[in-house]
Amino acid sequence: MRKSILVLSALALTATSCVSKKKFAELEAKNKETQDLLNTCTVKLNSCLEEKSGLSASLAALQSENENLKKNNSDLINSSKEMTVLTTKGAQNLEKSLESLREKDLKISRLQDALTKKDSVTLALVTSLKREVGIDDPDININVEKGVVMISIADNLLFKSGSYDVSDRAKGVLGKVAKVINSKPDFECMIEGHTDNVPIKNAVLLDNWDLSVKRSTSIVRVLQNDLGVSPKQLIPAGRSFYIPLNDNDTPENRAKNRRTRIIIMPKIDQFYDMIEKEMKNMSK
């Protein structure tokens, strides 16, 4: 009996040992599976952490870039506004400059028109005078000096030596000049008397100043009283011997210096006033 019990106990222990080993193998297998799963999860976790770190860095970079974009956008907007203001001011300044140029062009055009008109009138006057007076007489010279028409008549054609009485021959020449002057009632006419440097003094004349002035006024009286020229157009002037054509060193040169100049100015004051005004406006 005892032997039987021992046999049964041995069988029981063997069975229990067999069950524990099987269970252990299962647990061990389960543990390995779990460990493998844990390792896999750890790898994935580390990968996720790395990815998260990268995404966080990317997010920070994007946020920084976004802030920069916002700032740059704001700066661009402000710059755009400033550029708009600058562009507007630039356009206004350009328009002002163009307007100024247009005004200057207009002033220059007016100035050129005035000069052209003056030159045209002067040329027409010279042509008319040369046609009326003639250009073949050596004692008469018609030319343009400093923008005005000048008729220079030799002393021997107008007066006797030392006299201021106008000769009959001179009245014929002056009549032709008066015809041109009377056709232009707005013209001014200055008569200049010139002498040589030989001193003169008598009961009537004190010096060459006196002679040059009296010769001038004598011609003015002939133009006014005998030839119908308006006194408003006439200007007498005496220059004595201080503006000679030649040195007063020979009889021939002194004869050339004794002369009367008739200066015809076709509204020259108005032309010059207009030109001067335009020049002043251009300098502003």
Side-chain angles (χ1 to χ4, degrees):
M1 182 69 178
R2 184 176 179 182
K3 187 176 179 180
S4 299
I5 293 171
L6 288 173
V7 172
L8 290 170
S9 296
L11 291 172
L13 287 171
T14 301
T16 302
S17 177
C18 291
V19 172
S20 298
K21 286 181 180 180
K22 183 179 179 180
K23 187 66 175 177
F24 178 79
E26 291 177 357
L27 290 173
E28 190 176 26
K30 187 68 173 177
N31 180 63
K32 186 178 184 301
E33 183 181 348
T34 302
Q35 187 65 42
D36 291 340
L37 181 61
L38 178 61
N39 290 337
T40 301
C41 289
T42 300
V43 171
K44 289 185 177 180
L45 175 61
N46 290 334
S47 178
C48 288
L49 289 173
E50 290 179 1
E51 187 176 355
K52 178 183 177 183
S53 178
L55 290 173
S56 297
S58 298
L59 177 61
L62 289 172
Q63 288 176 336
S64 177
E65 184 177 353
N66 186 51
E67 290 298 324
N68 290 332
L69 287 173
K70 288 181 178 179
K71 183 178 179 181
N72 291 336
N73 188 45
S74 177
D75 291 341
L76 286 173
I77 292 173
N78 292 333
S79 297
S80 178
K81 290 180 180 178
E82 292 176 359
M83 288 297 294
T84 301
V85 172
L86 290 174
T87 302
T88 302
K89 289 182 179 179
Q92 292 173 347
N93 291 335
L94 180 60
E95 182 62 28
K96 288 180 180 179
S97 297
L98 291 174
E99 183 63 26
S100 178
L101 286 174
R102 284 192 289 267
E103 290 178 359
K104 288 187 181 296
D105 286 341
L106 180 60
K107 291 172 183 176
I108 291 172
S109 178
R110 289 175 178 172
L111 181 60
Q112 290 174 337
D113 288 345
L115 291 171
T116 301
K117 184 177 180 181
K118 178 182 72 65
D119 291 341
S120 298
V121 173
T122 300
L123 178 62
L125 180 62
V126 169
T127 303
S128 177
L129 281 168
K130 287 185 175 181
R131 183 175 60 250
E132 292 293 335
V133 178
I135 58 175
D136 295 330
D137 196 327
D139 293 325
I140 301 174
N141 183 35
I142 302 174
N143 63 347
V144 178
E145 295 181 16
K146 298 179 181 180
V148 297
V149 178
M150 296 188 180
I151 307 172
S152 184
I153 305 176
D155 173 77
N156 59 6
L157 187 62
L158 297 174
F159 309 100
K160 294 180 180 180
S161 178
S163 171
Y164 52 87
D165 292 328
V166 180
S167 66
D168 292 336
R169 182 186 176 193
K171 291 180 181 179
V173 175
L174 293 175
K176 296 177 181 179
V177 175
K179 182 177 179 181
V180 175
I181 297 173
N182 287 333
S183 68
K184 307 291 183 181
D186 294 328
F187 285 16
E188 291 183 335
C189 183
M190 178 182 287
I191 293 86
E192 286 186 348
H194 296 260
T195 68
D196 58 26
N197 66 342
V198 176
I200 184 170
K201 186 175 182 179
N202 55 40
V204 179
L205 301 172
L206 299 178
D207 52 25
N208 282 299
W209 277 115
D210 206 4
L211 177 59
S212 64
V213 170
K214 287 186 178 298
R215 283 182 169 178
S216 174
T217 54
S218 293
I219 293 177
V220 164
R221 291 188 183 97
V222 171
L223 291 172
Q224 177 183 349
N225 299 330
D226 299 344
L227 302 173
V229 177
S230 171
K232 294 181 180 180
Q233 296 176 255
L234 301 174
I235 306 170
R239 309 304 298 268
S240 187
F241 58 85
Y242 295 103
I243 308 179
L245 294 177
N246 303 284
D247 293 333
N248 287 289
D249 52 358
T250 66
E252 291 79 10
N253 285 343
R254 284 193 293 271
K256 292 178 181 179
N257 290 335
R258 295 190 301 269
R259 69 199 187 279
T260 296
R261 284 203 315 179
I262 299 176
I263 304 171
I264 301 178
M265 299 171 285
K267 274 188 173 295
I268 203 67
D269 54 339
Q270 295 184 21
F271 284 125
Y272 282 148
D273 285 345
M274 181 168 59
I275 293 171
E276 184 179 1
K277 181 179 179 181
E278 293 298 338
M279 292 297 289
K280 287 180 178 179
N281 290 335
M282 289 175 65
S283 64
K284 292 181 179 179

